Amino acid sequence: MEEARGERLRAPGGSLRSGALVRESGRTWRLLAANEWRLSPADAEAARAVLARLTAPLPAQRGTAARSSATDRDRRLQRALRTTVHHLDAGAVSPSAAALLAAVARALLPWHAAPNPLPSAAAPRYPPAPGTAAASAPPTGAGEALLPGLGALFAALVATSSGDADPHTPPVEPWKALYTGRFRHHTRPAPGVWSAETVGCPGCGEQDGPWTVTCDWRRAVLGCACGTASEGHGLSLSEIWLVLPERESP
């Protein structure tokens, strides 16, 4: 644990939204050092799956083409992101694990559609980080700089689920954010097929906010300016969390 703890995450260069990740990783290391977080079976399953993606070796080189190498590097980061979002939105992990997974997903968001876009016009789309062009390539070097620290962190988390120790999940603070814009709920009725709908206020029908979002990492409530609050919107955590600007972190 002492050696792994040296792999503290710091905000990398490039255009990653890593503020929440730096905060949540630091919190996780402190909890592990104090033996205050021993993973539940659901948390352990998610942590092992994400760890496998974070530490996956690159495939053997198929020649010397720089383009193939860059694609393989980006694909590794994209798979880590998609595995993280899958377990975040499945709803089985604890609030503390959800907060950490959401922070990882936020930092890896530039790889959502790179190198392999989701195969439907209705598939989820997220705005680029401020100051970057929508069509710009993801900052691969900055993403890879996160891998050693994240690998050490998730390996330490997985280690807490071994042995005879009973699971222990620490509490996590709820958060509140203000957001003006649209939320889109995406469903996947068949492989490669996506559908989407814009969420509206059940009281006044407003779709663009402003919204007051409150979340305890189990459920999120959308509050409209008309005074209506709804938790039956159907949105997953990623559909809310990943569109919020960086300053609205919990």
Side-chain angles (χ1 to χ4, degrees):
M1 177 74 77
E2 287 298 329
E3 181 179 355
R5 200 176 299 148
E7 294 286 0
R8 299 283 182 160
L9 285 174
R10 295 176 176 83
S15 55
L16 302 186
R17 297 195 295 176
S18 54
L21 180 56
V22 171
R23 181 175 58 254
E24 287 299 327
S25 64
R27 174 179 178 270
T28 300
W29 278 122
R30 290 191 296 273
L31 291 168
L32 292 176
N35 197 30
E36 293 180 0
W37 191 357
R38 297 186 296 275
L39 267 62
S40 67
D43 288 356
E45 179 183 354
R48 283 192 293 266
V50 173
L51 177 63
R53 295 300 194 186
L54 294 171
T55 57
L58 293 173
Q61 287 299 314
R62 303 180 300 274
T64 59
R67 180 173 299 180
S68 296
S69 175
T71 299
D72 289 339
R73 293 163 64 201
D74 284 330
R75 186 174 289 117
R76 176 170 58 185
L77 292 162
Q78 184 181 67
R79 287 172 175 169
L81 166 65
R82 292 187 179 176
T83 299
T84 301
V85 170
H86 169 76
H87 286 279
L88 171 66
D89 288 344
V93 300
S94 69
S96 285
L100 178 61
L101 292 176
V104 173
R106 189 177 183 84
L108 296 181
L109 192 57
W111 288 272
H112 178 259
N116 300 34
L118 295 169
S120 173
R125 295 185 180 183
Y126 300 100
T132 63
S136 63
T140 305
E144 289 180 325
L146 295 174
L147 294 178
L150 284 175
L153 177 61
F154 276 81
L157 275 170
V158 168
T160 73
S161 65
S162 60
D164 299 325
D166 293 330
H168 174 69
T169 302
V172 62
E173 291 293 326
W175 55 269
K176 178 182 288 188
L178 300 177
Y179 176 70
T180 300
R182 295 195 166 193
F183 289 113
R184 298 273 285 171
H185 176 53
H186 300 85
T187 57
R188 192 176 184 181
V193 178
W194 292 83
S195 63
E197 62 178 349
T198 300
V199 173
C201 171
C204 67
E206 178 59 55
Q207 294 184 322
D208 293 311
W211 307 100
T212 300
V213 186
T214 56
C215 180
D216 62 2
W217 293 115
R218 286 290 191 193
R219 62 178 182 176
V221 178
L222 301 185
C224 179
C226 76
T228 301
S230 172
E231 59 183 75
H233 43 70
L235 292 164
S236 64
L237 283 178
S238 68
E239 288 168 332
I240 296 174
W241 173 248
L242 294 180
V243 302
L244 298 179
E246 179 73 5
R247 66 179 180 274
E248 301 290 9
S249 56

